[in-house]
Amino acid sequence: MGGEETESGYPIHTHDVIIIGAGLTGLRAAIETVDAGLDTAVISKVHPLRSHSVAAQGGMNAALGNAQAGDSWEDHAFDTVKGSDYLADQDAVELMCKNAPGAVIELEHFGTVFSRLEDGKIAQRPFGGGMFPRTCYAADRTGHNILHTLYEQLMGRELEQSKESKGSKGSEGSKGRKRGGRITFYEEFFVTSLIKSGISSGEKGPAKGERCVGCTCINLADRTLHGFSCRALLLATGGFGRLFTRSTNALINTGDGASLALRAGVPLKDMEFVQFHPTTLYGTNILITEGARGEGGYLLNNKNERFMKAYVPKSMELAPRDIVARSIQQEIDEGRGFDNKYVLLDLRHLGKDKILERLPGIRLISVDFAGVDPVEEPIPVQPGQHYSMGGISVGNDLATELSGLYAAGECSCVSVHGANRLGGNSLLETVVFGKLAGQGIGKNLTSSGSGGRVGEEDKKAVLERLSEEAERVKALLTRDSGVKMAGLRDELKKLMFECFGVFREGKKMEEGLEKLLELKSRYPEVYIDNKSTVFNQALIYALELRGLFDIAEAVARGAIARNESRGSHARTDYPDRDDENFLAHTIYRLEDRGAEGKAKGITEGKPEGKPGIKPEGKPVLEYLPVRLGKFPVKERVY
């Protein structure tokens, strides 16, 4: 493994850049840092090709104007801002939408096989909330295609570096890549903590002289702890869908990056905004792409009615996701669903040929997991958690408050999605901001002239944290009784879906937070039966659970304090949007218990932990104004 040395019994790895997460964001950033001549490590708790990006189906937005002339980045930006319920920062949206066409063309040149129109141009389909059909796609396996393409690009660079190490001449690699850039993958490594060096003020947020210098990990193969030192670290860990019982997300999506950042003193932003996808497969909650409705699918209730005409008669099934999800849930709640649990997505009128060409994956999923062939009968669907608009608070340069720490992709909040993400903008965000993060890190490090050396204080910080993490893992493994991890996790997921789901109400959320804090107080008593050193997934699940509690509290407190309905945050007791008081981002951080900080809208609850357990920080809410621009705030109508 790259850059390895052993000190005090722990393997230590030193790299210029560490990227945590090997989905689209992480891989796209790695291409840039390697090409900038930097020694780059990518750490992932699964093989890169098993990252959740592989499950993205519908497509990626860009104003190419291939399917319908007249589209522009300005139109794309307006749709995005309107879709966000005007909570998106408009300069960030402009940055993303301007870069969208170039990002798609670049992926094509990298080797992504997009579906085509008859004239040979990249095909584009309609998605909810868009004025134009601008979603570029590869049938219904778009994420799969892009992920494989980016991984292949890095494998090519790895092959080049192997040739260089054998003495090939020349100062630069192919396509202008600077000689010396390296890529090392640490597959099936679970990150347990971020490491800071410098002096902390003990007050709100990281101290001015404090910086991120690395992380600690567990190697799943043998349970050994590893330390990593670096000059810059990028979090690209994806979302936290597994906080909810019904989710389209992979089992690995447990909000690790957001929890790591929060515990390092970095604030989270807009965590209350959680997207519930309208169409997940009843029974398993596997995603049924919005592309199915983009191709012309109908939503039907138990009266065989296309019920969306009662909610948004103009947009019908192609309204934004938050509106469609609420409409479906209302139909179910009011008794017009099937078995009071689901509605139907009807594709039969599209015909077998179109389904096989445009939606082959959806047909396969429906047959394999529901016993339903959409060519012959409708698909049973229900809303399920799909995406997190909130995340680690970053600027347009993807830097956090902590020097040396960056975040991009779904784990971050730039914010380009605001209160509701439009379908097709997620894949776009990963590649645009993954690239920008990599470029920014490369520029900062190559211009710093530090030579990539890690100081003695940084090494000391790594070793100290390794010792602390070893004690934490040991305590968990030696505990033979207490609270069962799986049962506690299931209670948490059920609570979050019931109290902080599609529809929310103040009293119910307050009761949910109280129960949440009670569950969290039981975490120090968690134990697992599996003590194995070889691929001990029970240990990883138990460690992930601590992070899920961090995320759950951030979601709950933000939702309770936001006394309005906006985008995905739909409160039955505050049904209207309140721009006067809440046209602002929620900032959530953990403050040292002894520090004096300003809190706005905080909801106090039971203290965390039990006697003998040191409190980890006091939750604090603040608000940050939305950065407006050329699109004035107005009523959101479709």
Side-chain angles (χ1 to χ4, degrees):
M1 294 181 181
E4 184 171 348
E5 57 181 289
T6 301
E7 296 188 31
S8 303
Y10 297 109
I12 308 292
H13 311 270
T14 301
H15 300 272
D16 292 324
V17 182
I18 291 173
I19 298 172
I20 301 175
L24 293 180
T25 303
L27 297 187
R28 188 62 194 85
I31 289 173
E32 294 301 318
T33 56
V34 171
D35 287 357
L38 298 171
D39 181 359
T40 302
V42 176
I43 301 172
S44 176
K45 60 182 178 182
V46 294
H47 186 278
L49 295 182
R50 292 183 62 207
S51 300
H52 186 57
S53 297
V54 79
Q57 297 171 351
M60 173 177 167
N61 290 338
L64 299 178
N66 291 348
Q68 182 179 336
D71 199 6
S72 66
W73 75 260
E74 289 93 345
D75 289 331
H76 183 186
F78 172 73
D79 287 343
T80 299
V81 171
K82 180 182 177 183
S84 78
D85 221 346
Y86 294 91
L87 198 72
D89 290 322
Q90 294 192 25
D91 56 346
V93 172
E94 179 176 331
L95 182 64
M96 180 179 74
C97 296
K98 278 184 174 179
N99 279 278
V104 171
I105 299 303
E106 183 178 57
L107 287 172
E108 181 195 32
H109 291 177
F110 278 166
T112 302
V113 182
F114 287 105
S115 295
R116 299 281 170 173
L117 299 173
E118 290 186 2
D119 62 5
K121 293 181 179 179
I122 293 173
Q124 295 183 280
R125 59 168 51 125
F127 256 43
M131 291 187 286
F132 291 85
R134 66 168 67 95
T135 306
C136 309
Y137 60 93
D140 55 1
R141 300 186 178 100
T142 313
H144 181 279
N145 276 268
I146 299 174
L147 187 67
H148 277 255
T149 298
L150 296 184
Y151 186 63
E152 288 164 4
Q153 287 289 320
L154 285 167
M155 289 298 96
R157 285 158 173 78
E158 188 175 50
L159 179 61
E160 286 186 23
Q161 76 190 31
S162 177
K163 291 178 180 178
E164 289 173 3
S165 67
K166 294 178 181 178
S168 299
K169 295 182 179 180
S171 60
E172 295 200 359
S174 66
K175 299 180 182 178
R177 181 175 66 83
K178 291 185 179 179
R179 189 176 177 86
R182 297 184 63 81
I183 180 69
T184 305
F185 284 95
Y186 294 88
E187 300 165 7
E188 297 178 321
F189 274 65
F190 177 75
V191 179
T192 63
S193 70
L194 300 181
I195 302 167
K196 298 188 292 184
S197 183
I199 301 173
S200 173
S201 66
E203 297 181 356
K204 180 179 67 179
K208 190 173 182 180
E210 219 170 20
R211 57 196 176 89
C212 182
V213 297
C215 62
T216 58
C217 298
I218 293 177
N219 183 351
L220 273 68
D222 58 12
R223 214 180 69 195
T224 54
L225 272 168
H226 291 240
F228 288 80
S229 295
C230 64
R231 300 162 63 196
L233 189 147
L234 172 66
L235 292 168
T237 55
F240 53 83
R242 284 296 150 180
L243 182 58
F244 296 84
T245 48
R246 283 162 34 186
S247 176
T248 64
N249 283 197
L251 295 177
I252 58 175
N253 283 28
T254 51
D256 304 336
S259 174
L260 289 168
L262 184 66
R263 287 175 175 270
V266 175
L268 306 181
K269 185 195 299 180
D270 291 340
M271 293 296 286
E272 64 267 35
F273 293 107
V274 178
Q275 183 169 88
F276 293 86
H277 198 285
T279 55
T280 75
L281 187 65
Y282 173 64
T284 61
N285 299 113
I286 298 171
L287 176 66
I288 301 298
T289 176
E290 188 169 334
R293 287 174 283 129
E295 295 295 346
Y298 300 153
L299 288 170
L300 304 174
N301 61 20
N302 62 16
K303 297 181 179 181
N304 202 37
E305 297 172 333
R306 286 183 68 187
F307 58 85
M308 288 305 300
K309 65 184 178 183
Y311 300 94
V312 274
K314 183 178 179 181
S315 300
M316 296 287 284
E317 285 86 1
L318 286 178
R321 289 176 177 176
D322 60 323
I323 296 173
V324 181
R326 286 195 293 273
S327 303
I328 292 175
Q329 192 61 52
Q330 187 169 333
E331 290 291 303
I332 294 170
D333 292 345
E334 294 178 358
R336 293 186 294 277
F338 293 84
D339 299 328
N340 294 318
K341 293 180 179 178
Y342 61 88
V343 297
L344 295 178
L345 175 62
D346 194 354
L347 306 179
R348 292 173 295 179
H349 56 286
L350 302 181
K352 183 175 182 179
D353 291 344
K354 189 171 185 178
I355 290 173
L356 291 179
E357 177 192 352
R358 305 285 182 86
L359 303 166
I362 293 304
R363 186 190 188 208
L364 191 62
I365 288 169
S366 301
V367 170
D368 289 347
F369 293 96
V372 170
D373 185 347
V375 174
E376 304 293 339
E377 53 186 319
I379 306 169
V381 294
Q382 64 181 181
Q385 193 282 344
H386 180 60
Y387 189 85
S388 50
M389 277 70 73
I392 303 162
S393 181
V394 296
N396 290 356
D397 59 357
L398 293 313
T400 70
E401 286 186 4
L402 179 60
S403 178
L405 180 66
Y406 300 77
E410 189 177 352
C411 76
S412 71
C413 184
V414 179
S415 152
V416 289
H417 305 307
N420 174 67
R421 175 176 70 79
L422 291 187
N425 274 350
S426 179
L427 289 182
L428 177 61
E429 179 194 20
T430 63
V431 294
V432 167
F433 288 106
K435 179 177 182 177
L436 292 174
Q439 288 178 336
I441 291 169
K443 182 179 179 180
N444 290 340
L445 296 193
T446 54
S447 64
S448 67
S450 62
R453 298 191 179 279
V454 177
E456 290 302 315
E457 286 299 314
D458 296 346
K459 287 185 179 181
K460 182 180 177 182
V462 172
L463 290 171
E464 287 177 354
R465 179 53 63 87
L466 279 168
S467 179
E468 294 172 5
E469 292 300 297
E471 288 299 314
R472 182 163 73 94
V473 172
K474 180 180 177 182
L476 181 57
L477 289 169
T478 55
R479 199 175 299 126
D480 292 319
S481 64
V483 177
K484 278 279 190 179
M485 178 275 299
L488 187 63
R489 182 183 61 187
D490 290 346
E491 284 190 72
L492 172 65
K493 293 165 66 174
K494 181 180 179 182
L495 168 86
M496 292 304 293
F497 195 87
E498 290 180 351
C499 297
F500 302 94
V502 177
F503 291 106
R504 299 167 174 180
E505 187 272 328
K507 184 178 180 181
K508 190 172 183 178
M509 290 194 293
E510 291 278 7
E511 292 171 351
L513 176 60
E514 184 176 359
K515 177 63 175 176
L516 165 62
L517 295 175
E518 188 274 324
L519 293 176
K520 188 176 181 181
S521 72
R522 289 156 55 188
Y523 178 77
E525 300 172 3
V526 159
Y527 78 100
I528 56 175
D529 293 320
N530 187 355
K531 314 294 183 181
S532 172
T533 60
V534 180
F535 287 101
N536 189 337
Q537 288 293 346
L539 172 62
I540 302 305
Y541 294 155
L543 295 172
E544 288 172 339
L545 182 55
R546 184 179 77 159
L548 283 172
F549 275 116
D550 291 339
I551 302 306
E553 189 170 355
V555 171
R557 291 190 183 277
I560 291 169
R562 185 172 285 273
N563 295 330
E564 67 160 353
S565 288
R566 186 186 297 270
S568 66
H569 177 64
R571 289 190 58 160
T572 56
D573 51 344
Y574 289 94
D576 299 322
R577 197 176 76 187
D578 182 355
D579 292 332
E580 183 176 348
N581 294 303
F582 290 102
L583 187 61
H585 300 295
T586 304
I587 303 297
Y588 177 91
R589 67 172 81 240
L590 295 180
E591 184 180 89
D592 287 348
R593 290 282 175 175
E596 292 295 327
K598 295 180 180 180
K600 179 181 179 182
I602 191 69
T603 305
E604 294 295 345
K606 294 181 180 178
E608 179 190 350
K610 61 178 184 177
I613 301 295
K614 182 181 177 182
E616 295 172 334
K618 182 176 70 176
V620 173
L621 291 183
E622 303 162 335
Y623 291 92
L624 185 69
V626 173
R627 299 194 300 273
L628 301 176
K630 64 171 62 180
F631 306 118
V633 178
K634 59 177 68 174
E635 184 182 2
R636 183 173 176 243
V637 179
Y638 289 94

